[in-house]
Amino acid sequence: MQSRAKEPFLPEAPAIHGIIAYPVTPFDDDGANGVATARLSALVEKLVGDGVHAIAPAGSTGELAYLEEPEFDAVVDATIAAAAGRVPVVVGVSDVTTAKTIRRATYAQKAGADAVMILPVSYWKLTEREVVQHYRSVGDAISIPIMAYNNPATSGVDMRPELLVEMFETIDNVTMVKESTGDLSRMQRIAELSGGRLPFYNGSNPLVLDALKAGASGWCTAAPNLRPRPCIDLYEAVRAGDLDQAQALYDDLKPLLEFIVAGGLPTTVKAGLDLLGFPAGEPRRPLLPLDERGRAELKALLG
């Protein structure tokens, strides 16, 4: 594979780092109506005020797959306006088609996003040639960085570390990887193949401690919606080399992390926000609100 000379990645100071918080998308009523933009703005303001390092709207937590295009635009506009340049905004722009992914990516760039995140969603299983062309086409249409997002459990496409590094070396604005398989060796392989130049970010909540210790530049997570401070403290403890403190924080967070992943992020996080006195509406059908048994368990986890 042909490689180009990129500047060496400096792991101590990546442009986007730390706790990358994924806000839910609040809907009016039961999710059948539009985005409750005032509520979304308030949630972003809360997350930034809590100290997260970046905001990532329109991910799986934000129910991107269920948004109409005007709703997507409203989420992007409200989030960027609320963040107000205080932290980077990484917008999820994934779609089944390249054309709609490009539309979303170009809209996000014009709105002021710092980067976009792309999951190669497919109905028919994509070949690696098709995956590369998908990212190349989006990259040609925008000038901001792309975070390549590998999550085969939701996308149906598994991008090998070798493929991710190839795209990093041959597509100018593919500059980051979010790895969500829960396989630590994938992250280690990305670092090895790229000579440490390709920043990788952990997208598997239960793996966070091991991933950060392995050199992940950040943690992409919905957990700060519910417990922001322990997430931030965990990241900072690892960066400071205080692994005993990091382990204690992880042990405290682990039951909540496992619960929200197992129950579905939009469903559980929206229920948790409601329990914390910050209602964000219901998830959009076919997703259903958390049942009473689940709410009782979540309430206990939130203390």
Side-chain angles (χ1 to χ4, degrees):
M1 102 183 114
Q2 297 228 334
S3 135
R4 62 187 162 118
K6 283 193 174 182
E7 290 299 314
F9 166 55
L10 301 177
E12 69 275 15
I16 296 172
H17 71 280
I19 301 302
I20 303 169
Y22 283 66
V24 298
T25 298
F27 294 116
D28 292 320
D29 300 327
D30 63 354
N33 296 317
V35 176
T37 53
R39 203 63 181 152
L40 174 58
S41 297
L43 178 57
V44 172
E45 180 65 38
K46 177 181 179 299
L47 289 166
V48 174
D50 287 332
V52 302
H53 302 95
I55 300 289
S60 53
T61 303
E63 299 177 73
L64 172 62
Y66 304 141
L67 296 179
E68 302 294 336
E69 293 308 283
E71 293 175 330
F72 169 86
D73 296 351
V75 167
V76 172
D77 291 340
T79 302
I80 291 173
R86 292 172 291 173
V87 297
V89 175
V90 183
V91 177
V93 299
S94 310
D95 189 73
V96 173
T97 70
T98 300
K100 191 181 286 186
T101 304
I102 289 173
R103 192 212 76 82
R104 290 174 169 178
T106 54
Y107 187 91
Q109 175 172 297
K110 289 176 183 176
D114 296 277
V116 295
M117 181 178 66
I118 300 175
L119 180 76
V121 186
S122 73
Y123 178 82
W124 297 103
K125 185 175 180 180
L126 301 180
T127 65
E128 291 193 347
R129 182 171 67 94
E130 290 166 333
V131 170
V132 170
Q133 186 57 53
H134 180 65
Y135 279 93
R136 190 180 305 282
S137 296
V138 180
D140 287 345
I142 61 174
S143 58
I144 57 177
I146 294 171
M147 178 183 285
Y149 177 16
N150 189 45
N151 190 352
T154 56
S155 71
V157 177
D158 188 5
M159 295 186 288
R160 300 177 300 114
E162 291 79 4
L163 177 63
L164 290 164
V165 173
E166 176 187 347
M167 291 195 299
F168 167 69
E169 292 178 339
T170 59
I171 302 173
D172 283 340
N173 40 358
V174 172
T175 63
M176 303 170 276
V177 170
K178 176 185 174 185
E179 173 56 56
S180 296
T181 59
D183 182 351
L184 185 64
S185 68
R186 295 283 190 108
M187 300 181 194
Q188 295 166 329
R189 183 67 172 155
I190 288 167
E192 175 189 354
L193 289 170
S194 70
R197 294 175 300 130
L198 174 53
F200 60 89
Y201 299 76
N202 175 61
S204 172
N205 281 324
L207 190 68
V208 56
L209 180 55
D210 288 337
L212 290 174
K213 289 194 295 185
S217 294
W219 175 19
C220 303
T221 177
N225 288 279
L226 306 180
R227 294 193 64 194
R229 194 68 249 170
C231 297
I232 296 164
D233 289 345
L234 172 57
Y235 171 75
E236 291 179 349
V238 174
R239 295 291 282 189
D242 189 348
L243 299 186
D244 289 340
Q245 175 66 3
Q247 184 68 57
L249 288 161
Y250 173 74
D251 291 342
D252 177 57
L253 275 171
K254 184 179 178 182
L256 176 65
L257 299 178
E258 292 177 341
F259 181 88
I260 63 175
V261 171
L265 294 173
T267 295
T268 55
V269 173
K270 284 187 169 181
L273 284 167
D274 186 55
L275 289 168
L276 292 171
F278 194 101
E282 295 183 0
R284 178 161 281 175
R285 305 296 187 267
L287 302 181
L288 293 174
L290 193 63
D291 60 25
E292 287 306 312
R293 180 176 178 181
R295 284 176 67 90
E297 185 177 350
L298 181 55
K299 183 176 182 180
L301 289 170
L302 294 174

